[in-house]
Amino acid sequence: MKMGYAWTVTKGGSVCVKFKGFNAQGAKTWYDAGCGKSGSVQVPWGNVAGEKEIMVKGGPSLLRWS
């Protein structure tokens, strides 16, 4: 199974993002989605109950993600 994420910078500059997923052994892994003002990605999730998480690096920006 894969989990979909999307992000959009609503104010400010570009950001670099990483999204949580799970590797084949079920361990939490951070997947790099790159940098920019918007994007989407699907990361491996497997058969794991969990909540979405995001890590963001960049200048002062407002970010909307799902």
Side-chain angles (χ1 to χ4, degrees), residues 8-53:
T8 302
V9 174
T10 57
K11 185 175 182 181
S14 295
V15 295
C16 298
V17 294
K18 290 185 179 184
F19 294 105
K20 179 179 83 173
F22 295 90
N23 64 21
Q25 292 75 35
K28 180 166 98 170
T29 303
W30 290 97
Y31 294 93
D32 188 3
C35 301
K37 287 195 158 220
S38 66
S40 63
V41 67
Q42 290 199 354
V43 299
W45 198 268
N47 190 21
V48 177
E51 294 186 20
K52 291 182 169 184
E53 292 182 41

Side-chain angles (χ1 to χ4, degrees), residues 49-64:
E51 294 186 20
K52 291 182 169 184
E53 292 182 41
I54 182 175
M55 285 197 292
V56 179
K57 182 177 182 180
S61 298
L62 293 177
L63 180 75
R64 179 177 298 152

